[in-house]
């Protein structure tokens, strides 16, 4: 083991830089390895765009959101679209050639399901790959927690806290749209932490009449404001998720969004209570990485290098209970971890009176 390459793929999230830092520090300080980083996710691997990563490059980045390497959630090396409108081309062999040309002994891919799936496929082609699980959505089934999630929960909770004071002053309903794609974890945790009246998630389809009843009852009981935390993927009973865009150039082409506006209109129309919609959007992906995520990312980064040094490839590092272990990349991808409708966290929320609109 002489040279490690890193890439960060998919939507960015807080903690990516902390992983890059931990990988680099462990690789250089402990094992005297060389580290390089491919730029902008798999695009850099296809196009052979990379930069050396030295100790000086990772100073002062543990807390910074984003990624010093750049990222992309558009580029699948197995169906690569160089320019919008081009036909997809399988560039996987070119990627392996680039890795070999640069004498890379192990590729560390830091990403969500899409990035890790390509990592698995390079591993199937015989290249030594190790995955590190990131995403604010926390929707990877083989790890208890992905890094980035804790920071996003903190950001969303702080936003709800701020919205509560204005909702209270104006006696309004605030509908707060929270990211998470097809999983409701982010809305669920920030909704509980932010004392939301109702939390709507994709896993529990809501009934608008029942939701309105809850708001009405609250208002009849003298509580003149309500906070509704809604996942971007929430859907009504017998209805569909709200899609904001379909991007034909992106491997995962659906972008969700717009449910908060819809709900705000419906609530106002039915109850005649002033209602506003706020979409938190990409704010949830930025900002200072939380201490929890800094530590988790550091543990993941160190573990990735330890696995590389032991020659254990084709794996993804994972949090299992309190321990950082690993699972095979084969097991790690393809199955989203959604919120089980009867899980403990849902019961806890129901016990304290949170409505799921069902
Ligand atoms: O997967 C992370 C995520 O932020 C989702 O929560 C959201 O649906 C999506 O990415 C947004 O993607 P984009 O950055 O392409 O708008």
């Amino acid at each position: 083991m002489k040279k490690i390459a890193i890439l960060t793929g998919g939507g960015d999230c807080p903690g990516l830089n902390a992983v890059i830092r931990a990988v680099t520090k462990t690789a250089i300080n402990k094992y005297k390895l060389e580290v390089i980083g491919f730029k902008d996710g798999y695009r850099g691997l296809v196009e052979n765009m990379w930069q050396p990563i030295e100790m000086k490059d990772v100073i002062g980045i543990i807390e910074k959101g984003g990624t010093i390497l750049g990222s992309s959630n558009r580029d699948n090396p197995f169906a690569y679209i160089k320019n919008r409108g081009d036909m997809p081309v399988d560039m996987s062999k070119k990627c392996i050639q680039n890795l070999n040309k640069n004498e890379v002994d192990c590729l560390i891919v830091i990403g969500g399901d899409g990035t890790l799936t390509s990592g698995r496929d390079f591993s199937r082609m015989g290249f030594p790959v190790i995955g590190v699980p990131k995403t604010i959505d926390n929707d990877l089934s083989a790890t208890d927690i992905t890094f980035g999630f804790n920071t996003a929960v903190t950001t969303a909770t702080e936003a709800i806290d701020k919205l509560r004071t204005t909702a209270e002053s104006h006696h309004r309903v605030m509908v707060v749209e929270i990211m998470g794609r097809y999983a409701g974890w982010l809305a669920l945790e920030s909704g509980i932490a932010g004392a939301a009246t109702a939390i709507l998630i994709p896993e529990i389809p809501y009934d608008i009449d029942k939701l309105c009843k809850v708001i009405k009852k609250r208002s009849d009981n003298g509580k003149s404001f309500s906070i509704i935390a809604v996942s971007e993927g929430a859907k009504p009973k017998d209805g569909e998720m709200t899609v904001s865009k379909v991007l034909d150039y992106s491997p995962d082409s659906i972008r969700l969004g717009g449910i908060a506006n819809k709900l705000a209109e419906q609530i106002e129309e039915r109850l005649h209570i002033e209602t506003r919609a706020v979409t938190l959007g990409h704010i949830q992906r930025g900002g200072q990485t939380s201490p929890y995520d800094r530590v988790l990312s550091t543990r993941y980064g160190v573990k990735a290098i330890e696995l590389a040094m032991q020659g254990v490839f084709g794996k993804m590092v994972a949090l299992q209970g309190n321990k950082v272990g690993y699972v095979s990349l084969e097991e790690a991808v393809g199955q989203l971890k959604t919120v089980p409708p009867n899980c403990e966290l849902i019961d806890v929320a129901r016990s304290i009176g949170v409505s799921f609109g069902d």
Side-chain angles (χ1 to χ4, degrees):
M1 188 61 49
K2 289 201 174 115
K3 199 187 226 181
I4 298 278
I6 316 175
L7 67 80
T8 51
D12 70 338
C13 93
L16 287 166
N17 284 327
V19 178
I20 295 170
R21 173 179 179 268
V23 164
T24 304
K25 286 191 137 193
T26 313
I28 296 177
N29 281 346
K30 194 166 170 192
Y31 295 113
K32 315 273 173 261
L33 305 178
E34 208 182 315
V35 183
I36 66 166
F38 285 100
K39 296 183 183 179
D40 298 335
Y42 284 115
R43 179 156 288 253
L45 185 54
V46 173
E47 307 289 349
N48 199 27
M49 298 181 309
W50 57 270
Q51 64 183 71
I53 310 180
E54 293 168 13
M55 291 296 282
K56 69 174 173 37
D57 300 310
V58 298
I59 292 170
I61 66 167
I62 192 168
E63 77 278 20
K64 285 198 178 125
T67 158
I68 59 166
L69 291 175
S71 192
S72 157
N73 62 3
R74 299 199 311 249
D75 299 312
N76 173 358
F78 291 82
Y80 184 68
I81 298 173
K82 190 173 169 78
N83 298 304
R84 277 199 208 180
D86 291 356
M87 289 300 288
V89 180
D90 182 356
M91 298 297 280
S92 56
K93 287 202 179 111
K94 173 86 189 309
C95 291
I96 301 279
Q97 276 168 16
N98 286 340
L99 288 163
N100 289 332
K101 192 158 80 186
N102 292 306
E103 299 180 326
V104 171
D105 299 306
C106 170
L107 174 66
I108 297 180
V109 295
I110 311 172
D113 194 65
T115 305
L116 295 167
T117 300
S118 296
R120 176 204 64 189
D121 294 342
F122 284 124
S123 172
R124 281 182 180 170
M125 290 169 79
F127 199 85
V129 176
I130 294 167
V132 180
K134 71 96 232 205
T135 163
I136 63 162
D137 305 336
N138 198 32
D139 60 357
L140 293 177
S141 58
T143 184
D144 290 354
I145 302 188
T146 55
F147 73 83
F149 176 66
N150 178 270
T151 307
V153 170
T154 307
T155 302
T157 304
E158 283 170 4
I160 296 174
D161 288 348
K162 286 177 181 156
L163 291 168
R164 192 180 320 101
T165 53
T166 169
E168 203 166 355
S169 310
H170 287 268
H171 316 295
R172 285 174 173 164
V173 177
M174 281 285 173
V175 185
V176 191
E177 184 170 312
I178 295 162
M179 278 186 168
R181 218 184 281 260
Y182 306 115
W185 297 109
L186 193 48
L188 179 59
E189 291 215 3
S190 55
I192 293 174
T197 306
I199 302 173
L200 308 181
I201 58 173
E203 296 85 348
I204 306 178
Y206 64 87
D207 178 332
I208 185 70
D209 293 321
K210 290 195 175 151
L211 176 67
C212 286
K213 239 187 197 165
V214 171
I215 300 169
K216 170 91 177 33
K217 193 169 163 205
R218 222 177 112 83
S219 139
D220 290 348
N221 287 342
K223 292 204 177 110
S224 66
F225 74 99
S226 288
I227 302 284
I228 314 301
V230 57
S231 251
E232 59 181 358
K235 57 182 177 203
K237 277 188 174 143
D238 311 318
E240 298 301 325
M241 291 182 183
T242 309
V243 173
S244 76
K245 286 184 195 162
V246 179
L247 308 174
D248 55 4
Y249 54 84
S250 175
D252 195 351
S253 59
I254 305 286
R255 294 293 179 280
L256 299 168
I259 182 72
N261 279 315
K262 268 194 198 171
L263 272 172
E265 272 176 31
Q266 290 173 331
I267 293 167
E268 195 162 288
E269 202 177 277
R270 278 158 207 255
L271 297 180
H272 307 292
I273 300 178
E274 242 194 334
T275 304
R276 296 286 187 267
V278 176
T279 300
L280 300 186
H282 291 80
I283 283 174
Q284 295 158 103
R285 293 235 300 257
Q288 276 222 338
T289 306
S290 70
Y292 179 90
D293 275 336
R294 295 182 206 184
V295 174
L296 183 61
S297 301
T298 302
R299 292 170 78 193
Y300 281 162
V302 170
K303 185 72 177 179
I305 290 295
E306 296 300 348
L307 291 183
M309 293 309 292
Q310 289 157 20
V312 179
F313 302 117
K315 311 292 179 198
M316 179 189 83
V317 299
L319 186 70
Q320 298 154 331
N322 278 330
K323 266 195 79 175
V324 172
Y326 60 88
V327 294
S328 82
L329 277 169
E330 296 289 339
E331 285 170 65
V333 297
Q335 218 193 325
L336 285 188
K337 180 177 69 182
T338 53
V339 179
N342 296 319
C343 70
E344 187 245 9
L345 211 47
I346 297 279
D347 288 347
V348 163
R350 287 195 197 277
S351 301
I352 55 162
V354 175
S355 164
F356 287 88
D358 59 337

